[in-house]
Amino acid sequence: MANFTQYEAITVADTAAGLTVATITGLNKALITCEGAAIRFTLNGTTATGSVGHLLNPDDVLRLEDMRELTAFSAIRNTGVSATLRCSYGN
């Protein structure tokens, strides 16, 4: 199990967003929960759009297991409602 040392909440709106670089630097694991609305996300450097990316619904949990996934993460809201991602980071 990871030793989580950092946390942030990210609002996912109508512009694609990634994880905060200053917060994830030197870390390689993330536990992310989705609240409020569904999002779409990508892990390969492609920018997420309303029709491109994996669907993550409210109350779903996403685990990222390596720094490449953390830095390539991109998310956007799936509908007209913004979501909040609760993110814990560690090694």
Side-chain angles (χ1 to χ4, degrees):
M1 179 136 187
N3 177 26
F4 294 107
T5 57
Q6 296 292 325
Y7 171 84
E8 71 176 330
I10 299 171
T11 299
V12 180
D14 59 349
T15 301
L19 305 177
T20 305
V21 173
T23 305
I24 64 172
T25 298
L27 304 174
N28 60 18
K29 306 250 189 265
L31 175 71
I32 300 170
T33 56
C34 182
E35 297 179 358
I39 67 163
R40 293 219 173 253
F41 72 93
T42 61
L43 298 173
N44 66 352
T46 301
T47 301
T49 70
S51 59
V52 173
H54 302 280
L55 187 62
L56 191 70
N57 289 302
D59 300 324
D60 284 353
V61 177
L62 176 64
R63 288 179 174 84
L64 304 180
E65 300 290 334
D66 115 358
M67 181 52 129
R68 288 173 293 172
E69 292 176 337
L70 274 70
T71 57
F73 180 85
S74 173
I76 195 166
R77 67 185 185 196
N78 190 47
T79 64
V81 178
S82 295
T84 301
L85 299 181
R86 307 288 178 182
C87 308
S88 293
Y89 307 112
N91 288 311

